[in-house]
Amino acid sequence: MAIRDNAIGGLFMITFVCAACAMAEASGSGGSGGIFDITKLGAVADGKTDSTKALQDAWAAACGAAGQQTVRIPKGDFLTGPLKFRGPCKGYVAIQLDGTLLGSNNLQKYNGSNWVEILHVDNIVITGSGTLDGQGAAVWSDGCKILPNSLVLDYVNNGTVSGIKLVNAKFFHINIYKSKVVTVKNVTISAPANTSNTDGIHIGDSSEITVADATIGTGDDCISVGAGSERVNIQGVTCGPGQGISIGCLGKFKLENDVRDITVRDCVLRNTTNGVRIKSHEEVLSPLVVSRVAFENIKMEGVANPIIIDQKYCPENTCVENRKNKNQVTIKDITFRNITGTSTTPEALSLLCSELIPCSGIELLDVNVEYAGKDNKTMAVCHNAKGLSEGSLQALACL
Ligand SMILES: *[C@@H]1O[C@H](CO)[C@@H](O)[C@H](O)[C@H]1NC(C)=O
Ligand SMILES: *[C@@H]1O[C@H](CO)[C@@H](O)[C@H](O)[C@H]1NC(C)=O
Ligand SMILES: *[C@@H]1O[C@H](CO)[C@@H](O)[C@H](O)[C@H]1NC(C)=O
Ligand SMILES: *[C@@H]1O[C@H](CO)[C@@H](O)[C@H](O)[C@H]1NC(C)=O
Ligand SMILES: *[C@@H]1O[C@H](CO)[C@@H](O)[C@H](O)[C@H]1NC(C)=O
Ligand SMILES: *[C@@H]1O[C@H](CO)[C@@H](O)[C@H](O)[C@H]1NC(C)=O
Ligand SMILES: *[C@@H]1O[C@H](CO)[C@@H](O)[C@H](O)[C@H]1NC(C)=O
C-alpha cells in the first residue's frame, strides 16, 4: 500500500464562470432549500457524455448560496473527469447521490489529482443510494503511474458520507486528510481481491473520525489509519477480502505526527490476509508514538494473520538505504480484547517489536483465535513485547 496523503495541495484555482446561470436554472432560486439538479444543468445520463461541467456548475451554485443547498445527482450513469468541490461555502451543502458517477479513464485529465475532491468545506453531507464507480480495471495495470483516489476529503470540518457505494477505485476509495469530525457510515466499498492500492478508507492527519456500519472488500487494506490520526472510532465494519484493518504504515515520511486514541470494535474480518495490525518501518526518518489503541470484540473468519504488531515492516527493498536513523517508533498501551475465530496459518498472533524500543503496555485479554488447519497447532511469535495476557488461549499468551 502506498500512501499519498498530501498529493493535493492548494494547486487548483477553479473559477466558476457559470455560477450565475446555474443558479437561474436550478429549481430553488438560490435561497434556503435550493436543489441544483445536474440534469437541469446539462448533465447527460448516458454514461458517455462528459458531465464534469454540469457538476462543477451545480457545486458552484450550491456552495455560493446561504442556507441548506443540495446538489442532486439523480438516477442514471454520468461520466466525469476530476471534480473539485472547493469551499468555503456560504451555507450547508448536501450532495444527494442517487445515480452513478463514472470516473473517466483519460488519466491526462487528472494530472496527478484525484477524482472527487472535497476541499476546505465545512458541514458537508454526501448521501444517497448511488455509486462512485472509479472504473479502475482499465488502469490498474499501469502500476507505476500515480492514479487518482476516488473520494477525497481534504480540510473538511464536520462531514458525513453515508449510504453510498464506492466500487473499483483506481487507487484508494476514500482518503480523509487534514479533516475533523467526519463520519463515514453505511457505505459499501468493493474492488477485486487481486488489485493493489485499492484501500477502502485511508485516514491521515485527522481527528474525530468515525467509520461505522461499513462493508468493505478490496485488494488492499479495508481501512488504514495513518500518521497524525487521533480519536478515530471504527465500529461495525465487515472486512474482506483484503488486507484487514491497519494502523500504519508509519515512519515512511519525515515529521509524521503521532497516532493516538484509536478504537476498532465490533468488526468481522473474513478471508483477509491480515486481521488487525500496527505496522511501521524499521528505520524511520523521525520519532513517532503510537499509543492508546484498542481492538475489541473482533471476529476472525479464515484470516491468514489475525493479530500483528510489526515494527520491522518494510515493503520496499530499497527503503533501508534511505534511512539513517534506527527505529524510533514507540508503540505503547495497545489492547486486544475479546478477539475470537479462526486463522488459516498457525501463527495467529505475532508481536514483532524492536530491541531498541520494545512495545509496552500490550494487553491480550480474552484472545482466542485458533488455527483452522490440521497439521500444526496454533502459535504466537512474540519479540520484545511487554504487557499482560488474561483469559487468552494458552498458546497465544506470550506476554
Ligand atoms: C499539471 O500539474 C502540474 C503540477 O501540479 C502543473 O504545473 C501543470 O500546470 C498542470 N497541467 C495542467 C494542464 O493543468
Ligand atoms: C454539521 O453539519 C450538519 C450538516 O450540514 C449540520 O446540520 C450541523 O449543524 C453541523 N454541525 C455543527 C456543529 O456545525
Ligand atoms: C443505508 O443506505 C441505504 C442506501 O444505500 C439506505 O437505503 C438505508 O436506509 C441506509 N441504512 C441506514 C440504517 O441508514
Ligand atoms: C484479476 O483477476 C481477474 C479474473 O481472474 C483477471 O481478469 C484480472 O486481469 C486480474 N486483475 C489484475 C489486476 O491482476
Ligand atoms: C477468499 O478470497 C480469495 C481471494 O482473495 C478467494 O479466491 C476465495 O474464494 C475466498 N475464500 C472464501 C472462503 O471466501
Ligand atoms: C465478544 O465479541 C463478540 C463479537 O465478536 C460479541 O458478540 C460478544 O458480545 C463479545 N463479548 C463480550 C463479553 O463483550
Ligand atoms: C506445519 O509445520 C511444519 C514444520 O513445523 C511446516 O513445514 C509446515 O509448513 C506447517 N504447515 C502449515 C500448514 O503451516
Side-chain angles (χ1 to χ4, degrees):
M1 177 195 74
I3 306 282
R4 210 154 49 78
D5 272 343
N6 41 10
I8 333 140
L11 296 169
F12 305 98
M13 289 297 294
I14 308 289
T15 47
F16 300 107
V17 260
C18 202
C21 64
M23 190 80 96
E25 285 179 50
S27 55
S29 58
S32 199
I35 296 176
F36 301 91
D37 185 328
I38 62 162
T39 59
K40 301 210 168 88
L41 296 166
V44 182
D46 62 0
K48 288 187 288 220
T49 307
D50 190 323
S51 294
T52 305
K53 186 174 180 301
L55 273 131
Q56 287 296 168
D57 288 349
W59 175 263
C63 183
Q68 180 66 54
Q69 306 297 336
T70 303
V71 170
R72 179 159 180 256
I73 302 160
K75 288 212 160 68
D77 294 343
F78 302 94
L79 179 72
T80 88
L83 296 167
K84 308 225 182 292
F85 297 152
R86 183 179 279 278
C89 297
K90 272 197 178 162
Y92 296 81
V93 181
I95 298 177
Q96 179 71 36
L97 175 69
D98 291 320
T100 297
L101 292 186
L102 301 168
S104 169
N105 277 324
N106 180 350
L107 291 182
Q108 281 173 343
K109 288 190 175 174
Y110 297 87
N111 189 26
S113 78
N114 298 292
W115 179 26
V116 182
E117 293 182 357
I118 314 286
L119 303 161
H120 296 275
V121 181
D122 293 351
N123 312 317
I124 174 99
V125 173
I126 302 172
T127 190
S129 55
T131 303
L132 293 182
D133 182 349
Q135 304 204 97
V139 299
W140 284 324
S141 55
D142 293 346
C144 284
K145 288 222 176 88
I146 293 182
L147 295 171
N149 297 305
S150 275
L151 175 62
V152 167
L153 274 59
D154 256 11
Y155 299 88
V156 165
N157 188 2
N158 182 28
T160 303
V161 178
S162 71
I164 67 169
K165 292 180 191 62
L166 295 102
V167 303
N168 299 334
K170 294 178 171 71
F171 209 75
F172 297 175
H173 287 80
I174 299 181
N175 193 23
I176 299 173
Y177 177 65
K178 293 268 187 195
S179 292
K180 268 188 190 164
V181 196
V182 171
T183 298
V184 178
K185 64 182 178 195
N186 187 28
V187 300
T188 304
I189 298 178
S190 67
N194 64 349
T195 56
S196 306
N197 298 321
T198 51
D199 295 48
I201 303 173
H202 179 71
I203 299 161
D205 277 313
S206 295
S207 61
E208 293 183 70
I209 309 298
T210 300
V211 178
D213 305 325
T215 303
I216 305 174
T218 75
D220 215 302
D221 292 339
C222 286
I223 301 177
S224 52
V225 178
S229 300
E230 277 184 45
R231 286 178 284 160
V232 173
N233 285 302
I234 296 168
Q235 187 163 9
V237 173
T238 301
C239 165
Q243 298 184 14
I245 297 175
S246 174
I247 313 246
C249 193
L250 301 167
K252 194 169 182 176
F253 301 104
K254 238 185 180 141
L255 301 176
E256 289 185 357
N257 292 311
D258 293 347
V259 174
R260 60 176 158 253
D261 298 312
I262 313 292
T263 306
V264 178
R265 66 160 68 97
D266 305 330
C267 294
V268 177
L269 292 110
R270 188 171 291 142
N271 191 23
T272 52
T273 53
N274 305 294
V276 291
R277 67 176 162 164
I278 301 177
K279 54 182 174 171
S280 67
H281 285 274
E282 181 167 19
E283 303 198 25
V284 305
L285 295 170
S286 46
L288 182 69
V289 179
V290 181
S291 63
R292 300 200 299 263
V293 179
F295 298 100
E296 299 179 339
N297 306 344
I298 313 266
K299 186 80 192 284
M300 304 286 175
E301 296 181 7
V303 172
N305 303 287
I307 299 174
I308 304 176
I309 293 179
D310 190 351
Q311 273 188 316
K312 303 190 174 186
Y313 178 86
C314 200
E316 300 114 272
N317 300 328
T318 56
C319 71
V320 174
E321 286 152 28
N322 305 329
R323 280 155 218 277
K324 296 190 186 69
N325 304 311
K326 288 284 180 198
N327 196 325
Q328 302 182 70
V329 179
T330 301
I331 298 181
K332 63 178 187 185
D333 303 334
I334 314 294
T335 300
F336 298 95
R337 188 198 311 267
N338 183 24
I339 302 190
T340 58
T342 57
S343 73
T344 60
T345 70
E347 212 175 294
L349 174 81
S350 75
L351 306 178
L352 308 174
C353 301
S354 82
E355 313 74 54
L356 287 171
I357 315 180
C359 301
S360 63
I362 310 292
E363 294 184 319
L364 297 174
L365 310 174
D366 301 314
V367 173
N368 292 287
V369 181
E370 287 193 78
Y371 173 51
K374 291 192 191 96
D375 304 335
N376 292 314
K377 290 205 170 101
T378 310
M379 59 182 274
V381 177
C382 301
H383 298 303
N384 307 307
K386 295 178 179 169
L388 64 89
S389 314
E390 270 175 28
S392 299
L393 194 70
Q394 196 56 41
L396 301 181
C398 65
L399 297 169

